[in-house]
Amino acid sequence: QNARTRSWNLLFVVLLPPTPLTGVAECAFVLLLMAVFWVTEVIPLSMTAMLPALLFPMFGIMKSSNVAKEYFKDFHFLLVGVICLATSIEKWGLHRRIALRLVSMVGVNPAWLMLGFMSGCAFLSMWVQNTSAVTMVMPIVEAVLQQILKAKELGCNGNVNPDLQLYAQPQSDQSDPAAACVPAVVSRSQQDLMMCKAMCIGIAYSSNIGGITTLPGTSPNLIFSEYLNQIYPECNCINFGNWLLMCLPISVIMLLLTWIWLYWLFLGSDFTFLWQCDGVQSGKEKAARKVIEEEYKSLGAIRPQEIFTGMVFLLMVVLWLTRSPGFMPGWASLFPHHSGYITDATVALLLGFLFFIVPAHGPDKKYEAMISWDEFQALMPWKVALLVGGGFALAEGAKVSGMSLWVAKLLMPLGDMPVLATVTVACIIVTTLTEVTSNAATITIFLPILSPLAEAIHVNPLYVLIPTTLCTSFSFLLPVSNPPNAVVFSYGHITIMDMVKAGLGVNVIGLLAVLLAVATWGVPLFSLDTYPDWAPVLPGFNSTIP
């Protein structure tokens, strides 16, 4: 099978690149070639991103030195700073303390327990990579599921599987009393199985839902932000604060509706728990409460390293929010002679730098920084960094070659459609494609197409780019759609069909929530109802209000 796959990969690589023609056709060929390679993954995604560095100089579109400049942008500094914070959070266990505290606050009823874990994972994914958030939360979820499955019916309360494997089978003789405390697959009730499915799928989905909330929360958001700075340098309307105002309500709506949808799909239509406050707990709920309390106690008292990491985290958020909030002067106005010089990346890099300087222990111990370079680079997504650089190079090539203008003229007839209908179609296309290819690759392919589309129909580019960027993160259908889905699927509690059934509903929820946002509170927040001065005006247009 592997040999056949490699043969097909080689066939794609050899047969796809014919010699293009000139000008716009050359750049369009590079875009098409990269899109096909990204979707089929015939070669690694990060190496496909290097094609502009190879083909643009050969075709005379851009000089090699100019292409190289596009591969490292402000985005990469922001990513480095955020990963420094994520490394410290994971190293010192702050993520476990946050997740367990959030879960204990909502209670141990299966429905509330699921909401607690989903909220904790969503909150973590706002600040760290989605995959990291899932890998932080899933071991805790697995321990709780273990305890619930072994409670009450089998009379084995308090016996915890140290390997945290739900399907672990004893290799010893069945007459061993200890072996009787490990539940066999056949002994689990259907309700237990459904609870496992709902809990695990909820973790995967909540990481994607939380990631859209902040600019550094997920790769498509960062790619969009940097693309906007590159193509529309006069646009200063996207920052951490107003993006949070735009997307936090979307995330809350999606999280609550996804929670209700998953509960209905897997656990039934009995929602009486929403208004019942009798305080009586079943054996399973007591077991879940016990394991959560024991997990939290095992963390011990909060350590100085966790306090420092938490303080840096809060400081980073505050500085991001107050740098240039828009409705009032931010602290960036303290540098009037350097307007636009300081960005969110400056803040992230400065605070990330501290983790390599501040000692992790007191003066009586050997000096050790909060994080080391090896620990940092183990979490640094270099593949994403190269992938994004290739997208920036592709966008610049489209602009230089004139392909963007050509696409804009080609799409002018779409101006006769209602704008919201055009945005809806674009969102559906992006949501469909992102199920089978990388989120970062999907947004990289579509940004050079969607911004000329907005210019062609003479609407604010943000009206098209923001919803499609958010929909790029809605890859809920398959385990291969994104790494969080794959991580959760690897635990063995869910099937592909479970994820497909659940993902279809969440895709609809996400699409409707995004369209609601851009049609209501997004309009005054980003002036979506006017064509901005920073966007070019194509011949034949004066003004249009969506």
Side-chain angles (χ1 to χ4, degrees):
Q1 181 66 34
N2 291 336
R4 188 182 300 115
T5 301
R6 286 195 294 269
S7 299
W8 277 107
N9 289 356
L10 180 62
L11 187 65
F12 265 115
V13 172
V14 171
L15 295 183
L16 275 179
T19 303
L21 300 176
T22 57
V24 172
E26 293 172 338
C27 188
F29 164 75
V30 176
L31 172 61
L32 178 62
L33 183 65
M34 293 177 70
V36 172
F37 279 17
W38 271 331
V39 170
T40 58
E41 296 190 44
V42 293
I43 60 176
L45 297 179
S46 52
M47 291 311 298
T48 298
M50 305 300 288
L51 286 178
L54 171 67
L55 297 179
F56 281 177
M58 290 176 58
F59 294 153
I61 296 175
M62 295 176 65
K63 291 182 179 180
S64 181
S65 57
N66 292 336
V67 179
K69 295 176 183 177
E70 303 300 324
Y71 277 85
F72 203 90
K73 293 285 188 178
D74 194 56
F75 155 84
H76 295 86
F77 289 121
L78 180 59
L79 187 62
V80 166
V82 170
I83 297 301
C84 288
L85 173 63
T87 303
S88 184
I89 288 175
E90 184 169 345
K91 178 180 179 179
W92 301 110
L94 183 60
H95 62 290
R96 292 177 60 82
R97 193 175 297 276
I98 293 173
L100 289 170
R101 176 54 65 187
L102 285 174
V103 170
S104 63
M105 288 171 59
V106 299
V108 292
N109 175 280
W112 295 118
L113 193 63
M114 182 168 69
L115 180 61
F117 276 122
M118 290 177 65
S119 302
C121 188
F123 177 77
L124 288 175
S125 66
M126 290 168 60
W127 317 105
V128 302
Q129 291 292 308
N130 297 352
T131 309
S132 299
V134 170
T135 54
M136 291 173 183
V137 174
M138 269 307 293
I140 307 173
V141 174
E142 183 74 352
V144 172
L145 290 176
Q146 256 313 87
Q147 197 72 359
I148 291 176
L149 289 175
K150 291 192 293 185
K152 195 173 180 180
E153 284 86 352
L154 297 178
C156 297
N157 293 356
N159 238 349
V160 180
N161 177 4
D163 295 327
L164 300 182
Q165 296 298 318
L166 183 61
Y167 296 116
Q169 296 299 311
Q171 300 299 320
S172 58
D173 191 284
Q174 293 300 316
S175 62
D176 185 353
C181 289
V182 181
V185 175
V186 294
S187 68
R188 295 199 312 271
S189 68
Q190 185 69 15
Q191 185 181 12
D192 293 334
L193 289 171
M194 293 297 105
M195 181 179 59
C196 290
K197 293 176 185 292
M199 196 89 73
C200 293
I201 292 180
I203 296 302
Y205 291 174
S206 60
S207 69
N208 292 326
I209 292 171
I212 68 173
T213 310
T214 61
L215 280 177
T218 189
S219 299
N221 294 0
L222 287 171
I223 296 170
F224 157 74
S225 176
E226 187 59 36
Y227 176 86
L228 207 65
N229 294 334
Q230 179 181 352
I231 301 301
Y232 305 111
E234 300 300 320
C235 175
N236 298 314
C237 47
I238 296 291
N239 56 52
F240 182 89
N242 57 23
W243 184 271
L244 185 66
L245 289 175
M246 170 75 176
C247 297
L248 183 59
I250 298 176
S251 294
V252 171
I253 292 171
M254 284 191 65
L255 193 70
L256 292 176
L257 292 181
T258 299
W259 168 57
I260 293 174
W261 162 250
L262 293 177
Y263 184 88
W264 176 84
L265 186 65
F266 292 106
L267 298 177
S269 56
D270 181 10
F271 290 96
T272 55
F273 66 89
L274 290 173
W275 52 82
Q276 284 181 348
C277 300
D278 54 10
V280 178
Q281 293 184 347
S282 67
K284 293 185 177 184
E285 291 173 357
K286 291 177 181 177
R289 169 69 69 181
K290 181 179 179 181
V291 76
I292 290 172
E293 290 175 351
E294 289 178 351
E295 287 275 347
Y296 193 80
K297 287 178 181 177
S298 69
L299 298 177
I302 188 167
R303 296 174 293 176
Q305 297 91 340
E306 294 177 70
I307 295 175
F308 177 78
T309 302
M311 289 175 60
V312 173
F313 164 70
L314 292 175
L315 181 60
M316 187 179 290
V317 173
V318 170
L319 290 178
W320 275 341
L321 288 172
T322 57
R323 178 180 63 85
S324 182
F327 59 88
M328 60 175 287
W331 59 263
S333 61
L334 299 175
F335 307 93
H337 301 297
H338 306 290
S339 177
Y341 281 44
I342 298 175
T343 66
D344 290 341
T346 313
V347 173
L349 200 58
L350 172 64
L351 297 181
F353 192 69
L354 293 179
F355 289 109
F356 290 96
I357 300 176
V358 174
H361 307 290
D364 56 331
K365 293 187 178 181
K366 182 180 178 181
Y367 173 79
E368 176 192 355
M370 288 288 293
I371 61 174
S372 68
W373 175 256
D374 290 338
E375 292 165 341
F376 162 77
Q377 72 170 0
L379 286 184
M380 179 66 187
W382 299 110
K383 180 174 72 174
V384 172
L386 282 175
L387 182 66
V388 172
F392 296 155
L394 182 63
E396 185 65 19
K399 180 180 177 181
V400 171
S401 67
M403 192 191 80
S404 295
L405 183 61
W406 176 76
V407 171
K409 292 180 179 178
L410 189 67
L411 297 175
M412 276 186 181
L414 293 177
D416 297 332
M417 291 178 58
V419 177
L420 196 58
T422 304
V423 172
T424 302
V425 171
C427 289
I428 292 174
I429 293 173
V430 168
T431 304
T432 303
L433 182 60
T434 196
E435 301 291 354
V436 294
T437 189
S438 160
N439 297 355
T442 302
I443 194 62
T444 303
I445 292 169
F446 275 90
L447 283 174
I449 299 173
L450 294 173
S451 55
L453 167 62
E455 296 168 11
I457 61 179
H458 203 71
V459 299
N460 192 323
L462 299 180
Y463 200 96
V464 179
L465 297 182
I466 289 178
T468 48
T469 297
L470 295 176
C471 287
T472 306
S473 296
F474 298 163
S475 46
F476 301 119
L477 288 185
L478 301 170
V480 297
S481 296
N482 59 46
N485 289 6
V487 169
V488 170
F489 184 78
S490 68
Y491 276 76
H493 306 327
I494 57 178
T495 65
I496 292 178
M497 190 52 61
D498 291 329
M499 191 166 281
V500 170
K501 289 190 298 184
L504 285 172
V506 182
N507 274 336
V508 173
I509 290 171
L511 181 63
L512 294 178
V514 167
L515 293 177
L516 173 66
V518 296
T520 53
W521 65 85
V523 174
L525 195 59
F526 295 109
S527 301
L528 298 181
D529 55 348
T530 59
Y531 194 77
D533 296 334
W534 44 262
V537 178
L538 299 181
F541 284 108
N542 291 320
S543 64
T544 300
I545 299 178

